[in-house]
Amino acid sequence: MEERKIRVAITHGDTNGIGYEVILKAFEDPTMLELCTPIVYGSPKVASYHRKALGLETQFLIVDKAEDARDGRLNLLTTFDEEVKVEFGTPTDESDTAARKAVARAKEDLQKGLYDVLVQAPMRSNANPGKEDKSLTMMVSDLVRIGLVTTHLPLKDVPGAVTVEKIVDKAAIFFASLRRDFRISNPRIALLALNPQLGSEEETIIKPAIEQLEKQGIQAFGPYVADDYFGEKMYYDFDGVLAMYDDQGLVPFKTLAVDGGVKLKAGISAICTTPDHGPAFDIAGKGVADEQSMRQAIYTAIDMYRHRIDYDEPLAHPLPKLYHEKREDGEKARFAVRTPQKKADDGMPVSTEE
């Protein structure tokens, strides 16, 4: 049993968006404070402005550093002292800078181990389309888990970016995350076809990737045409599905995740989640933002933290072998534990978030 509550860092997002609204609404329910100790990285002045403008009553405690956060309170850590003009619904350089300052401070504290998991309120995308990413973008909900082979690419560039190696790498990260972060013992992963009908890429790229994954002990199936997969609700038969590009996964996910979806990065050491929506400038300041995705992002991060502890604990103290295996032992194949899955875990490309 843990002696303290899980510490959840939450960055405030773009200050002209709905970040503070969904954070304050999420913690209107006092039972949330029984689940974790939240530390909001942001600005007390901006938070107070949002709270007053939206007519919310959620109270928070202002702290200067994460070490001062108190259990049973919504802690608000001051990440900068500069005045920030709030213009609801208008993306500005000032509001984006405020979001990035909060993330920068949160990352510093993460390196110091001052909290356990990070949840990022929505901010404008800073993706670099030309940057190779060794992690996996995942979207999760109660109904589906979707991973993306490529992200932030123009559609014309997708076919050239979908390779056997990339599919295998992303699927291996997906498999490892499903086991460690979601505690699924032997995940079944579906792969979507690149084309609306099975064509050359499916034969020369996706099917060979599936064969390689099977040799690694990863249960991979497909390729399935996207409209058939989602239209026939085949996701009930799998623990996750790997889409080849953004819209192939994002469109059905946002349709299915009606109770709040979550986006996360798998394959990195830190646990970092975010609601599956953006800053929503069109509704900012109107008091109509739904906080369910923020709640789910917090729940998911906490669950992942607990699941990793459960998964890692037995591996830290493995049972000693009771006998020495010999190559000539005829019973070896019969009683040996299957090793391909372990190789998949050990060989998983893991990176630290920049």
Side-chain angles (χ1 to χ4, degrees), residues 334-348:
R334 180 179 175 187
F335 293 107
V337 176
R338 292 180 62 189
T339 57
Q341 290 177 356
K342 186 175 188 300
K343 289 180 181 177
D345 283 348
D346 291 345
M348 180 187 70

Side-chain angles (χ1 to χ4, degrees), residues 171-184:
I173 297 172
F174 202 8
F175 180 81
S177 179
L178 290 172
R179 294 181 70 194
R180 186 177 182 226
D181 296 330
F182 296 90
R183 298 303 282 125
I184 300 170

Side-chain angles (χ1 to χ4, degrees), residues 253-270:
F253 180 78
K254 289 181 178 292
T255 303
L256 294 169
V258 292
D259 293 326
V262 178
K263 184 183 292 186
L264 61 92
K265 285 283 190 180
I268 62 175
S269 58

Side-chain angles (χ1 to χ4, degrees), residues 6 8-10 27 32-33 36-40 69 73-76:
I6 295 171
V8 179
I10 306 171
F27 287 96
M32 290 289 290
L33 298 176
C36 65
T37 297
I39 308 170
V40 178
R73 300 294 299 270
L74 175 61
N75 300 276
L76 203 154

Side-chain angles (χ1 to χ4, degrees), residues 39-253:
I39 308 170
V40 178
Y41 283 68
S43 162
K45 294 177 182 179
V46 176
S48 297
Y49 184 92
H50 278 250
R51 183 174 61 180
K52 182 177 180 180
L54 296 165
L56 300 173
E57 298 182 358
T58 309
Q59 300 298 308
F60 52 80
L61 173 70
I62 300 173
V63 297
D64 292 325
K65 56 185 185 295
E67 297 95 315
D68 296 334
R70 289 169 50 185
D71 293 345
R73 300 294 299 270
L74 175 61
N75 300 276
L76 203 154
L77 189 152
T78 305
T79 57
F80 54 86
D81 294 322
E82 299 91 338
E83 293 286 341
V84 176
K85 182 180 180 181
V86 177
E87 301 177 73
F88 285 123
T90 303
T92 64
D93 290 342
E94 189 178 21
S95 67
D96 189 53
T97 298
R100 295 177 187 278
K101 286 182 177 178
V103 172
R105 175 65 183 274
K107 287 185 176 180
E108 289 177 9
D109 285 358
L110 175 63
Q111 297 299 319
K112 298 174 183 176
L114 298 181
Y115 59 83
D116 302 305
V117 299
L118 173 63
V119 177
Q120 291 184 288
M123 57 186 288
R124 277 171 277 168
S125 174
N126 61 348
N128 181 356
K131 183 179 179 180
E132 178 65 20
D133 192 351
K134 294 299 183 181
S135 63
L136 171 73
T137 298
M138 284 177 60
M139 288 86 66
V140 300
S141 71
D142 292 338
L143 195 58
V144 291
R145 303 178 192 90
I146 301 177
L148 300 177
V149 174
T150 64
T151 57
H152 307 295
L153 287 179
L155 194 56
K156 65 181 178 62
D157 296 333
V158 170
V162 175
T163 64
V164 174
E165 181 183 13
K166 180 169 283 190
I167 292 173
V168 171
D169 287 346
K170 299 294 185 181
I173 297 172
F174 202 8
F175 180 81
S177 179
L178 290 172
R179 294 181 70 194
R180 186 177 182 226
D181 296 330
F182 296 90
R183 298 303 282 125
I184 300 170
S185 60
N186 194 19
R188 292 165 51 88
I189 299 174
L191 274 67
L192 296 183
L194 176 64
N195 298 295
Q197 295 181 341
L198 300 185
S200 61
E201 286 87 358
E202 285 71 32
E203 290 293 331
T204 61
I205 298 173
I206 300 178
K207 286 185 179 180
I210 291 173
E211 292 173 0
Q212 286 194 28
L213 291 166
E214 290 173 348
K215 292 177 182 178
Q216 296 181 23
I218 296 175
Q219 293 197 81
F221 304 86
Y224 299 101
V225 175
D227 63 338
D228 290 340
Y229 183 87
F230 291 107
E232 297 175 13
K233 299 182 179 179
M234 296 172 67
Y235 43 82
Y236 284 114
D237 298 324
F238 296 94
D239 300 299
V241 57
L242 201 58
M244 298 298 120
Y245 56 93
D246 294 81
D247 285 357
Q248 191 182 49
L250 285 168
V251 173
F253 180 78

